[in-house]
Amino acid sequence: MPEVLCINGGKKLSGTVRVSGAKNSALPLLFATLLSSEECVLQNVPDLEDISVTLRLLRSLGAKASYEKNEVRVTAEQIRGTEAPYGLVKSLRASFWVLGPLLARAGTAQVSLPGGDAIGTRPVDLHLQGLTRLGADIRMQHGVVVANAPGGLRGAKIDLAFPSVGATHNLLMAASLSRGETILHGAAREPEIVELAQLLSKMGADIEGAGSDTIRVLGKESLGGTSHMVLGDRIEAATYLLSGALTGGVVAVTGIDAPALQSSLNLLEGFGCQIETSDNKISLKSNGELSPVDFATEPYPGLATDVQPLFMAAACVAKGKSTVQENVFENRFGHVAEYRRFGADIAIDGRTAVVSGGLPLSAAPVEAGDIRAAAGLVLMGLVSEGVTQIRELYHLDRGYDGLVEKVRSLGADISRMPAFESKEVVFGC
Ligand code: UD1
């Protein structure tokens, strides 16, 4: 039965939460397991809908895959299927990242085009250009990318016109099983890229430069099994730190080191919060009186596009005018219409939003449009007077492992209830 998330806002949050493993790392790592016929073990994998979908996809391709207590074991001894159908790719855009490893391992792959989504048109041209450079023959048939490399892929020089995270994942995986050397210029530098390169190296690949904009890969004929502990989720960490920032609390996150989210920590300080970091722990102190800040999203090491909806909630609380510039996706302001329901004053002009913050915020019924918009609505609910009800919770379940329990442990009055249509019943939650 569909549920609604009820938040009785206005409480100061304080305490410590442990972040889960990063979804955006775990997904490419899971796809990379297809590159080996031996067992790969991933620990600290978050319990999320996106992970279940990925495991279903791996099984449909012939891999044995199990999940127990945040540990995934995958053995892709043989690849039996080479197709990622529309239903899966549409529900989980990252499943397009199966294209590179599948093509490299099986010599053929048919992956449905993901199409656009709530945050933009999201083309895949850079993935396809790069794989073509590696020698793949790529055609479109009825909305499906049909890729073939019967004689195997061969290393090449590839220039990415934009440091796409997804394209870098796909090409790193494909290059690891290609003949010869690949040099990837203009690569994405996100921590998730570095982590994928670490996993591939443990599997036997020869990779240098991950984390810089030029990555060199010396492909291998085969890769072996390995085990790896997924790093903490930097976006989840920023979400909980912001819950303390907005409500004037003292919140710490553990299970993550500061450098991965340095741009978010700098911005929190810009809003007027105090940050302390130590080994595997970040603490935030806020008096709830935030100062307005202008900020912009950029490829790493700039501010992640994923935290933009979250920081916009902070801008709604900060007294005065903040401007928010979204430089990664062309349409990532879907949450603004919902934020306005709380009484926020936000004007949009193209990729810029001007937030006139500090107005009283009052609880409202709202609907989540994507994962981070859903988390942004939670933050808005935590700081608004009254009971907020958030619908379309599957977005939250795709990306946040145990958010309700974690935020409740910080002192929030938050619970999931069956979503009845009747207003009277919902208002009672
Ligand atoms: C992006 C984010 C990533 C975040 C993820 C989930 C960046 C650079 N990437 O990764 O940090 O975790 O969303 O929200 O911030 N593009 C093309 N052609 C392509 C591929 C991408 O034009 O073939 C464009 C996209 O339209 C977009 C930009 O490049 O404007 C970034 O896309 P990309 O990094 O590939 O997106 P994700 O991998 O989803």
Side-chain angles (χ1 to χ4, degrees):
M1 187 189 297
E3 289 182 316
V4 59
L5 185 60
C6 300
I7 304 172
N8 188 7
K11 310 232 168 345
K12 196 181 268 198
L13 300 198
S14 288
T16 302
V17 285
R18 183 171 180 82
V19 297
S20 299
K23 170 182 87 81
N24 289 343
S25 282
L27 294 175
L29 301 183
L30 284 171
F31 291 121
T33 64
L34 288 175
L35 291 164
S36 172
S37 59
E38 296 175 10
E39 184 181 65
C40 293
V41 182
L42 300 180
Q43 281 126 6
N44 201 30
V45 177
D47 188 1
L48 298 171
E49 191 50 33
D50 276 9
I51 300 293
S52 313
V53 173
T54 303
L55 295 180
R56 280 210 296 281
L57 175 55
L58 295 180
R59 287 185 197 115
S60 78
L61 301 173
K64 283 193 194 120
S66 67
Y67 182 99
E68 210 185 325
K69 294 193 183 135
N70 301 106
E71 183 179 276
V72 172
R73 288 176 175 268
V74 184
T75 311
E77 201 174 331
Q78 280 184 348
I79 303 291
R80 293 211 176 79
T82 54
E83 193 186 334
Y86 178 74
L88 278 175
V89 185
K90 189 71 197 163
S91 74
L92 172 57
R93 204 175 185 286
S95 50
F96 193 74
W97 302 345
V98 79
L99 180 61
L102 203 49
L103 181 62
R105 175 91 190 275
T108 181
Q110 302 84 47
V111 180
S112 192
L113 276 172
D117 64 9
I119 64 177
T121 50
R122 308 190 79 174
V124 289
D125 54 320
L126 301 173
H127 303 235
L128 303 185
Q129 283 162 18
L131 291 171
T132 304
R133 293 279 305 148
L134 293 178
D137 171 47
I138 294 188
R139 288 155 212 253
M140 293 299 157
Q141 279 176 13
H142 311 292
V144 175
V145 176
V146 179
N148 284 295
L153 297 171
R154 49 175 161 65
K157 284 207 169 68
I158 301 171
D159 283 299
L160 287 179
F162 185 91
S164 154
V165 173
T168 306
H169 282 322
N170 238 330
L171 297 172
L172 257 186
M173 291 189 274
S176 297
L177 269 194
S178 298
R179 270 195 317 278
E181 186 183 68
T182 295
I183 308 274
L184 192 54
H185 289 293
R189 300 162 59 188
E190 269 71 359
E192 294 77 21
I193 301 289
V194 176
E195 198 173 357
L196 175 63
Q198 280 165 357
L199 179 90
L200 293 168
S201 301
K202 287 187 196 173
M203 292 168 76
D206 185 347
I207 301 178
E208 275 172 19
S212 77
D213 62 1
T214 301
I215 307 178
R216 176 191 152 278
V217 184
L218 190 56
K220 293 288 159 89
E221 228 168 80
S222 66
L223 296 176
T226 189
S227 66
H228 178 84
M229 169 89 81
V230 179
L231 293 177
D233 192 317
R234 61 193 173 108
I235 312 297
E236 194 196 8
T239 307
Y240 298 130
L241 291 173
L242 273 157
S243 75
L246 268 68
T247 61
V250 181
V251 167
V253 290
T254 59
I256 185 142
D257 287 321
L261 65 156
Q262 196 55 55
S263 55
S264 285
L265 300 181
N266 295 345
L267 186 50
L268 282 163
E269 285 179 335
F271 272 106
C273 303
Q274 289 170 39
I275 302 285
E276 268 179 32
T277 63
S278 57
D279 196 21
N280 231 13
K281 183 172 181 180
I282 305 167
S283 310
L284 171 141
K285 193 171 170 190
S286 159
N287 61 10
E289 303 210 343
L290 304 183
S291 319
V293 192
D294 297 338
F295 59 93
T297 63
E298 306 282 353
Y300 192 85
L303 187 74
T305 175
D306 277 1
V307 296
Q308 178 260 108
L310 313 176
F311 277 104
M312 193 185 284
C316 292
V317 171
K319 276 202 185 77
K321 198 168 276 184
S322 298
T323 61
V324 181
Q325 176 86 22
E326 172 55 58
N327 289 325
V328 177
F329 290 110
E330 75 280 10
N331 187 25
R332 198 162 192 174
F333 285 142
H335 47 284
V336 167
E338 301 302 297
Y339 286 12
R340 287 182 183 137
R341 292 179 190 274
F342 293 92
D345 179 349
I346 306 170
I348 298 179
D349 181 9
R351 285 175 176 242
T352 306
V354 178
V355 184
S356 302
L359 299 175
L361 298 174
S362 71
V366 288
E367 205 168 281
D370 67 70
I371 299 175
R372 308 306 167 186
L377 291 173
V378 171
L379 293 175
M380 292 294 281
L382 289 171
V383 79
S384 297
E385 277 308 315
V387 179
T388 287
Q389 308 126 36
I390 306 175
R391 286 167 189 266
E392 305 299 342
L393 293 183
Y394 63 92
H395 290 294
L396 208 55
D397 297 337
R398 283 190 51 202
Y400 284 87
D401 185 351
L403 176 136
V404 172
E405 294 72 22
K406 288 175 182 170
V407 178
R408 191 184 291 137
S409 78
L410 296 175
D413 183 353
I414 182 169
S415 52
R416 291 172 83 122
M417 309 284 285
F420 298 108
E421 288 308 316
S422 148
K423 267 191 181 165
E424 288 72 21
V425 177
V426 170
F427 275 118
C429 70

